[in-house]
Amino acid sequence: MAAVWAAAFPVVSSLGPHRVWGASACVGYLCAAVAVLSWRSLGRAVSVWIAGIGAVLVPLVVLVLTGGAQSEVGVVERAGLLTVRQGTPYLADPQAVVEVTPYLPGMALFGLPGAVVADGWEPLRYLGDARLWCAAAFLCCLWAAGRVLGGRGTGQLVGAALIASPVVALPLAVSGVDLPLTGLLCLALALAARHRPVAAGLALALACSLKWTAWPALAVVAALLAHRAGLGAALRGTGVAVAGTVLAVLPSALLAPGPLVEQVFAFPTGRGEWETPAASPLPGRLLADLGPFGWYAAMTLLAAGGVAVAVSLWVRPPTGLVPAADRLAVGLCTAFLLAPAGRFGYLALPVLLSVWARLAEAPSRVAPARSRVVAAGSAARPVLVGGDR
């Protein structure tokens, strides 16, 4: 199925990086399927690594070396360079849509390596590609989340399969800007599920300083903390998250308040000077295309969806990692579907959250076979009384 899906990209996609990924990933997934059918003992492990090479490693290396990427990679790299030069990632007077930076200031961190090596040795410049650092942040967050969950999270093979899957492999190779956000949300949920409000708040602050689409996670993590650790823990976690986000955004808000509002909030919602390229025919976009009335209708439905999710958190707060991830996924899906502008690719984020949570918690729900045998043996052992041997 993954091979068929990847094979469609060279045929239907108008984006060069997507076609490159589709061709390489299709071959990788087909070879992975052959490996599973050929080697029963090692087929599963071999197939995962073959899929990873075909769907992640090869297209990523090819695209980095050739400079092929979605436009947001260049936007992030420019944001890092502008932050070094002027203290804010926003151009005061963008002349084209590619000069708009629709991210919060934290995203510029992934462009800083490019700013550092911009004038350096030619081969070294490849290390400034923002995708590499976005991927590194994502993988580190997943690893840290697994450690927080007591080392039970996704095992090496399962984690590799998740990374090799199209939902991760495609954005990792062609763009990657949503992966740090996803990884930080996974880490925040894991920390909240293990009653660590301050650390969860710090992870949320980092996520919320990248894109404002992470802000719904504040309510979900607060509800999870309140249920698992009490109201005080929820308030501490939320306070750290809000304070951290404000500290990260405040310098740019003071230096360039107009460009920040225009590019980060007005542009993605279709109210900026430049038309956003995020124009997939989702319900909110179709409504917005009807004119001002349709735009307001889409925003009203979006607000109503947000209120509905908030009420559900109050009435029935999530009790663990999986319910919290599902509730956040529902909220994000609602936002992406009803927003006046969006892309089908945005839906990969909520899908990844739900899948990761189930993979991370699955091992903890079933006792290891050895533990069950030991427990059964202990239950069957007769009790020694007096001098019985």
Side-chain angles (χ1 to χ4, degrees):
M1 191 66 181
V4 174
W5 192 75
F9 280 84
V11 178
V12 303
S13 178
S14 61
L15 300 176
H18 284 209
R19 293 196 297 270
V20 171
W21 178 85
S24 178
C26 179
V27 174
Y29 291 140
L30 287 175
C31 291
V34 172
V36 170
L37 297 175
S38 301
W39 299 292
R40 294 185 178 181
S41 57
L42 298 176
R44 182 175 299 179
V46 172
S47 69
V48 168
W49 294 111
I50 291 176
I53 292 171
V56 177
L57 183 61
V58 170
L60 179 60
V61 170
V62 170
L63 291 172
V64 168
L65 293 179
T66 60
Q70 289 185 195
S71 60
E72 51 262 37
V73 176
V75 170
V76 171
E77 293 173 356
R78 186 190 63 242
L81 188 61
L82 289 174
T83 300
V84 171
R85 292 178 176 177
Q86 64 183 29
T88 174
Y90 308 106
L91 288 171
D93 187 23
Q95 299 300 308
V97 67
V98 294
E99 296 183 355
V100 175
T101 303
Y103 310 118
L104 287 166
M107 190 66 77
L109 291 174
F110 300 102
L112 291 180
V116 171
V117 302
D119 299 323
W121 184 41
E122 182 67 29
L124 192 61
R125 295 181 190 177
Y126 294 119
L127 296 179
D129 194 296
R131 281 171 294 187
L132 301 178
W133 301 98
C134 289
F138 172 71
L139 296 176
C140 288
C141 286
L142 288 192
W143 175 84
R147 298 286 293 179
V148 168
L149 295 170
R152 290 179 304 215
T154 58
Q156 183 179 12
L157 184 61
V158 176
L162 179 64
I163 295 167
S165 67
V167 73
V168 175
L170 173 60
L172 193 154
V174 304
S175 170
V177 296
D178 283 329
L179 292 179
L181 174 67
T182 307
L184 286 167
L185 292 180
C186 291
L187 180 57
L189 290 170
L191 289 165
R194 292 298 181 264
H195 312 166
R196 297 172 62 177
V198 174
L202 289 173
L204 273 181
L206 291 173
C208 293
S209 67
L210 300 180
K211 298 178 71 173
W212 58 267
T213 50
W215 293 359
L218 288 169
V220 176
V221 170
L224 178 59
L225 284 171
H227 179 82
R228 299 293 293 266
L231 181 60
L235 293 175
R236 288 196 302 275
T238 304
V240 170
V242 172
T245 303
V246 170
L247 288 175
V249 176
L250 187 59
S252 290
L254 295 176
L255 291 171
L260 187 151
V261 172
E262 175 71 17
Q263 298 180 41
V264 177
F265 297 101
F267 171 73
T269 57
R271 305 300 283 184
E273 178 181 356
W274 303 96
E275 183 177 357
T276 172
S280 295
L282 297 170
R285 174 70 186 198
L286 296 177
L287 280 173
D289 286 343
L290 298 178
F293 175 79
W295 186 87
Y296 285 111
M299 293 301 292
T300 300
L301 290 174
L302 179 61
V307 170
V309 174
V311 170
S312 75
L313 291 171
W314 177 266
V315 174
R316 190 175 180 181
T319 59
L321 179 64
V322 172
D326 286 346
R327 202 72 59 88
L328 179 56
V330 169
L332 291 173
C333 280
T334 302
F336 296 150
L337 290 173
L338 298 179
R343 288 174 174 161
F344 287 117
Y346 293 166
L347 297 174
L349 194 162
V351 170
L352 181 54
L353 282 173
S354 290
V355 171
W356 168 82
R358 282 165 172 77
L359 294 176
E361 282 286 70
S364 65
R365 292 182 185 151
V366 182
R370 182 178 178 182
S371 298
R372 293 196 298 269
V373 171
V374 172
S378 299
R381 185 180 299 135
V383 177
L384 300 180
V385 179
D388 290 347
R389 301 292 184 195

